[in-house]
Amino acid sequence: MTQALKGAVLPLIFVLTGCSQGESESTSTGKPTEQLAPPQETGVLEVATRNGATTYYLDRHQNPIGPEFSLVSRFAESKGWTINWTMHESTAEVLQALEAGNTHLAAAGLTHLPSRTERFTRGPAHTEITEQLVCHRDMRPMPRKPESMPEVGITVTADSSYVETLSKLASEHEGITFTEDDSRTTEILLSEVAEQDIDCTVADSNIVQVMRRHFPHLEVAMNLTQGNNLGWYLPAGSDDLAGTTREWMNSTDGDEAIGYVESRYYAYIGEFDFVDLRALNRRIDDRLPDFIDRFAEAETTTGMPADLLAALSYQESHWDPAAVSPTGVRGIMMLTRNTAESLGVMDRLDPAAAIDGGARYLADRHRRLPETIPEPDRTFLALASYNIGRGHLLDARQLARELGKNPDSWDDMKEVLPLKADKRYYPSTRYGYARGYEPVHYVQRIRNYRDVISSAFD
């Protein structure tokens, strides 16, 4: 295993083995059915989940995040309830908690299946996915249709929806076999496909989307399903609470929460670029160790997160301290001469000075924005300012107001910034024309890189 792959696997293994501290709400092992009063009485919502990039995990500051965490938190907040999270090692354990009645709600990236709906009370759906057969990109021949599947070994997580999908395919196509694994999660199985320890596995498309950035050698051989829904389940007989969850999910607040999850965790990932991500993972091994302490020092002095600074630097120079652009910006942070002079950076090709200067410049962009702008929008707007300049960003914020958009929302500003290159709009702005589409892609790439790089700072 390369060091880059190790860097990606280790944090994943951490989040998949459960967490016992650092959550904003407490975790427990569950309560006996007869003691589990409804949250309407206790004000506490018991939630079963599992650790994973598409469910619930801890960030580098030990704060809980994840799509399921965000959705459930918004739901509970709307009801004035606190949450008691129970971590489980696998989908099978989550389903066992539902069977035992040890939880009010299971929010663990569960596919809505007829077989599950017979056993439990179905809650609302929140995400549409496709189940995909994933193999190593060097596999030859690559199984592109079900008739080719008997030629490869397939391992999937036990009690997952993938078991039903493969069982159905096996009944339709002779020779298809697979192994159920009751100890490894889908994310771990994907990492083992990348290491060529197993041939192939099956995973939801949202999991594949996230994981391929860490493991560029993963390839989607084929889609096995279309339009499956992920959503919540409740113990059998929980019709009242299920109705409450569905009502909330279908409300304006629920729609906004789903939109936030899409924007926060998925939308910025974009199209998969094998060459770019393979190079990034290699450079995490080859180049980042030379500068990682400098990024950490810059975080201490400026408050800008080290992994964010590293991602910004990678976007700017691919961590090449001698980088020079045709327009004259140079160094590991690609500072202009004027910016460097204003920051007191005498030598832009000195990585220590450049990283410190670039971090102070980003912190200044961040500080100059109104404190009322929520995170992470404020950071995204600061990055856009770093890229396009504060004047053009202020123009775009004013244009957003004129168009009835929210200048404090990055989702809205992603739509407005490109208008700085539109002749219908930029002549009326103070600073005129700018390639406003560039900061949108700039922020998207930095967010993507940061997700991969962050494991090196844990």
Side-chain angles (χ1 to χ4, degrees):
M1 179 183 289
T2 67
Q3 289 301 311
L5 289 177
K6 285 181 180 178
V9 172
L10 288 176
L12 288 170
I13 290 175
F14 167 76
V15 299
L16 294 169
T17 53
C19 48
S20 58
Q21 55 184 343
E23 296 93 329
S24 60
E25 291 86 2
S26 63
T27 60
S28 71
T29 57
K31 300 178 180 180
T33 304
E34 62 271 20
Q35 296 181 12
L36 194 59
Q40 294 92 329
E41 295 180 8
T42 64
V44 178
L45 182 68
E46 299 282 347
V47 181
T49 191
R50 68 175 189 87
N51 288 125
T54 59
T55 51
Y56 176 116
Y57 60 100
L58 301 182
D59 65 14
R60 60 189 291 261
H61 299 294
Q62 301 298 294
N63 297 315
I65 57 175
E68 294 284 21
F69 171 82
S70 295
L71 281 175
V72 176
S73 295
R74 288 281 291 267
F75 168 65
E77 181 181 359
S78 74
K79 300 301 176 185
W81 301 338
T82 59
I83 307 171
N84 188 42
W85 294 92
T86 302
M87 297 298 119
H88 295 280
E89 299 293 330
S90 64
T91 298
E93 287 191 10
V94 172
L95 297 178
Q96 289 168 10
L98 280 174
E99 196 84 67
N102 289 336
T103 188
H104 294 126
L105 179 72
L110 297 175
T111 303
H112 280 173
L113 299 172
S115 61
R116 289 176 178 170
T117 303
E118 289 178 1
R119 298 168 57 195
F120 312 115
T121 301
R122 187 174 66 184
H126 55 66
T127 304
E128 185 173 320
I129 56 90
T130 298
E131 292 183 8
Q132 299 175 321
L133 181 69
V134 182
C135 308
H136 193 281
R137 66 180 289 118
D138 293 340
M139 173 174 279
R140 296 293 183 274
M142 183 69 67
R144 298 296 188 186
K145 53 187 179 181
E147 291 78 7
S148 303
M149 290 173 64
E151 302 170 10
V152 300
I154 303 172
T155 305
V156 296
T157 303
D159 292 321
S160 62
S161 60
Y162 318 136
V163 173
E164 290 196 18
T165 298
L166 291 174
S167 296
K168 183 175 184 296
L169 284 170
S171 69
E172 299 169 350
H173 302 276
E174 185 177 354
I176 294 179
T177 60
F178 60 92
T179 301
E180 292 187 56
D181 192 299
D182 59 6
S183 63
R184 292 175 292 181
T185 63
T186 298
E187 290 88 344
I188 294 298
L189 291 175
L190 284 167
S191 73
E192 296 193 359
V193 171
E195 290 295 299
Q196 297 182 294
D197 293 332
I198 60 177
D199 285 347
C200 304
T201 191
V202 179
D204 293 345
S205 52
N206 62 332
I207 299 176
V208 177
Q209 182 184 24
V210 170
M211 291 287 291
R212 288 181 80 186
R213 296 171 305 160
H214 298 277
F215 301 99
H217 285 86
L218 295 175
E219 181 163 335
V220 177
M222 71 178 106
N223 292 334
L224 300 183
T225 66
Q226 293 293 335
N228 286 357
N229 286 327
L230 303 183
W232 298 344
Y233 271 104
L234 300 86
S238 304
D239 296 334
D240 288 346
L241 182 56
T244 299
T245 62
R246 285 193 292 268
E247 181 180 357
W248 175 82
M249 195 75 80
N250 292 324
S251 70
T252 300
D253 190 27
D255 286 341
E256 291 176 353
I258 291 174
Y260 170 80
V261 165
E262 172 65 19
S263 175
R264 170 66 178 82
Y265 298 104
Y266 300 117
Y268 66 93
I269 295 177
E271 294 296 322
F272 177 75
D273 186 331
F274 170 73
V275 175
D276 184 32
L277 290 171
R278 180 180 60 177
L280 171 61
N281 279 279
R282 287 176 175 173
R283 286 165 178 157
I284 289 173
D285 288 348
D286 300 338
R287 297 184 182 181
L288 181 57
D290 294 337
F291 311 111
I292 193 168
D293 289 342
R294 300 295 185 185
F295 291 122
E297 291 168 6
E299 176 177 357
T300 300
T301 57
T302 67
M304 292 289 99
D307 58 342
L308 175 67
L309 295 173
L312 185 156
S313 176
Y314 187 80
Q315 165 63 26
E316 293 286 356
S317 69
H318 286 186
W319 299 322
D320 179 1
V324 179
S325 83
T327 59
V329 296
R330 60 179 57 198
I332 195 168
M333 302 297 279
M334 295 299 271
L335 300 174
T336 66
R337 182 187 297 276
N338 289 340
T339 298
E341 290 178 353
S342 72
L343 294 165
V345 177
M346 306 305 295
D347 182 1
R348 288 178 285 168
L349 300 184
D350 175 1
I355 289 172
D356 174 71
R360 287 188 286 116
Y361 185 63
L362 179 62
D364 178 73
R365 304 297 90 179
H366 190 272
R367 178 182 59 80
R368 287 171 176 261
L369 289 166
E371 293 183 359
T372 54
I373 301 176
E375 291 290 3
D377 302 70
R378 190 177 179 193
T379 292
F380 299 156
L381 291 169
L383 289 170
S385 179
Y386 189 105
N387 173 254
I388 200 175
R390 184 168 182 267
H392 289 304
L393 180 68
L394 292 177
D395 275 354
R397 283 172 58 76
Q398 179 57 36
L399 188 56
R401 296 184 187 97
E402 295 170 0
L403 295 174
K405 301 287 188 179
N406 181 2
D408 295 347
S409 164
W410 177 244
D411 280 345
D412 280 5
M413 289 297 289
K414 286 191 300 183
E415 299 177 9
V416 176
L417 276 163
L419 300 181
K420 284 284 289 176
D422 190 323
K423 63 182 180 182
R424 294 174 298 174
Y425 298 97
Y426 73 76
S428 65
T429 63
R430 179 178 180 182
Y431 292 91
Y433 174 86
R435 295 191 296 267
Y437 47 85
E438 287 189 354
V440 175
H441 297 301
Y442 182 83
V443 173
Q444 176 181 334
R445 287 191 294 268
I446 289 174
R447 293 176 68 186
N448 217 346
Y449 292 147
R450 185 185 185 186
D451 280 355
V452 181
I453 292 166
S454 62
S455 61
F457 290 86
D458 289 336

